[in-house]
Amino acid sequence: QVRLVESGGGLVQSGESLKLSCAASGAIRGISLMAWYRQTPGNERELVAAVRSDGTTNYRDFAKGRFTISRDSDKNTVDLQMTNLKPEDTAIYYCNANVRVGPGWGTWNDFWGLGIEVTVSS
């Protein structure tokens, strides 16, 4: 129904930068919130940053000042520019979107990408 595909992950050294991208496609009638989460083995998935349709952003403290989230509502994409990466940032990063689907008023549902690895070496 709706598909989210992440790209841009990889291996970098501490202090370097990476840009993650996510593209949403399918029977999309609207997207309210788009966000990036991350998860490490044995831990719960945690929010990194989110952006509303009006451009309002929200960042976790660890991301503030280092990461920048942005979206293109016409293309249904969201990016996460990460700078000054640290080993603690190593995780699988997931794209998330709250999407309006279905006929009539439809319903709002969360959709997730499959995740993409980011590894930061010391």
Side-chain angles (χ1 to χ4, degrees):
Q1 186 177 51
V2 175
R3 183 183 182 189
L4 305 182
V5 180
E6 302 104 335
S7 61
L11 172 64
V12 298
Q13 295 186 148
S14 61
E16 296 183 341
S17 301
L18 271 180
K19 185 177 182 179
L20 304 181
S21 297
C22 173
S25 62
I28 299 170
R29 298 179 63 190
I31 300 177
S32 58
L33 188 75
M34 302 190 81
W36 286 94
Y37 288 73
R38 70 185 188 185
Q39 187 172 208
T40 55
N43 297 309
E44 294 184 349
R45 193 171 300 181
E46 66 176 352
L47 175 71
V48 178
V51 55
R52 292 186 173 277
S53 59
D54 65 0
T56 302
T57 58
N58 184 50
Y59 296 91
R60 287 286 306 278
D61 286 343
F62 67 80
K64 206 171 188 65
R66 295 194 298 132
F67 297 179
T68 301
I69 189 169
S70 61
R71 68 185 287 176
D72 187 329
S73 295
D74 293 331
K75 298 179 180 179
N76 292 327
T77 60
V78 60
D79 296 338
L80 184 69
Q81 177 66 56
M82 303 183 291
T83 63
N84 191 210
L85 284 163
K86 305 174 181 179
E88 309 92 88
D89 296 318
T90 296
I92 298 176
Y93 285 71
Y94 295 88
C95 179
N96 173 78
N98 190 245
V99 182
R100 184 189 180 191
V101 297
W105 281 106
T107 57
W108 291 88
N109 300 101
D110 276 336
F111 293 90
W112 295 88
L114 295 178
I116 189 165
E117 290 188 356
V118 172
T119 302
V120 185
S121 65
S122 59

